[in-house]
Amino acid sequence: MNKAELRKGLQRLKEYLAGQEFESMLLEEGEEAALDSLILPLEINEELSLDISCNFVHVPEFGDMLQYYGHLEVDELFAENPESFTEFNVLQLLNALNQMIPVGQFLFMQDQAEGEEQNVIGIRYTVLTALDNEIEMEKCVSVIKFLMHIYELLCSSLVLLLEGETVQNALYIIGDVINL
């Protein structure tokens, strides 16, 4: 599949999402985006929002893949409660959350930007799809809704750490919420 066909797939998804009352914006490959990207500004509630980017690529020998990705910068949390927000605690929390959720994954990434360390938690999910029929589009909407829920789960976990809960207690509380 060539880039023009992949872009048409993202355009079909954009149109389908509009019918499902999801706003989105298509960025074409260039200075603003490394790949054609469909950007979804998702609002879970007044205080919680996340931008998800969707990239549609052809993977030889596998097919067409849609990757969803969003991230949360956590430097302020590290500064606000350095005892709770250590690299070890965040990795332990994300590892446990990855085991709890049935799809997708959390990533912890550190980078040096302009001489300062940057800490980011990413949410990623990939799926093979040609984006060529309504069933595939419905699956995409389900994945987007699910990503909204796991983002809310992540933020709830981080708030518990911020309030001084240990990773183990936070996971216990979140586990109870998941099992309700």
Side-chain angles (χ1 to χ4, degrees), residues 25-98:
M25 177 176 61
L26 184 60
L27 291 179
E28 293 186 6
E29 182 179 332
E31 288 182 27
E32 294 180 7
L35 295 170
D36 288 340
S37 300
L38 188 61
I39 308 298
L40 298 150
L42 304 177
E43 186 173 307
I44 291 95
N45 61 43
E46 288 180 12
E47 299 174 1
L48 206 53
S49 63
L50 175 70
D51 290 342
I52 296 284
S53 67
C54 295
N55 305 106
F56 190 41
V57 295
H58 181 72
V59 180
E61 299 181 29
F62 287 103
D64 301 318
M65 184 172 291
L66 187 63
Q67 173 181 268
Y68 300 86
Y69 176 78
H71 70 263
L72 173 67
E73 293 180 17
V74 291
D75 287 330
E76 288 181 22
L77 298 175
F78 274 70
E80 193 166 330
N81 189 339
E83 293 83 34
S84 292
F85 286 94
T86 64
E87 181 180 345
F88 178 78
N89 283 350
V90 172
L91 288 170
Q92 187 180 19
L93 177 71
L94 295 181
N95 185 47
L97 289 174
N98 279 332

Side-chain angles (χ1 to χ4, degrees), residues 91-108:
L91 288 170
Q92 187 180 19
L93 177 71
L94 295 181
N95 185 47
L97 289 174
N98 279 332
Q99 292 173 18
M100 289 179 180
I101 60 174
V103 298
Q105 71 183 141
F106 293 112
L107 313 161
F108 180 59

Side-chain angles (χ1 to χ4, degrees), residues 13 16-17 20 22 68 129 131-146:
L13 179 57
Y16 185 83
L17 290 172
Q20 302 295 311
F22 281 98
Y68 300 86
T129 179
L131 292 177
D132 60 354
N133 61 55
E134 184 145 349
I135 292 171
E136 293 297 311
M137 298 294 181
E138 288 173 15
K139 286 180 191 177
C140 290
V141 170
S142 296
V143 168
I144 292 165
K145 288 178 180 177
F146 190 77

Side-chain angles (χ1 to χ4, degrees), residues 84 88-90 92-94 96 161 165-172:
S84 292
F88 178 78
N89 283 350
V90 172
Q92 187 180 19
L93 177 71
L94 295 181
L161 286 183
E165 292 291 341
T166 65
V167 171
Q168 291 75 22
N169 284 346
L171 291 169
Y172 180 76

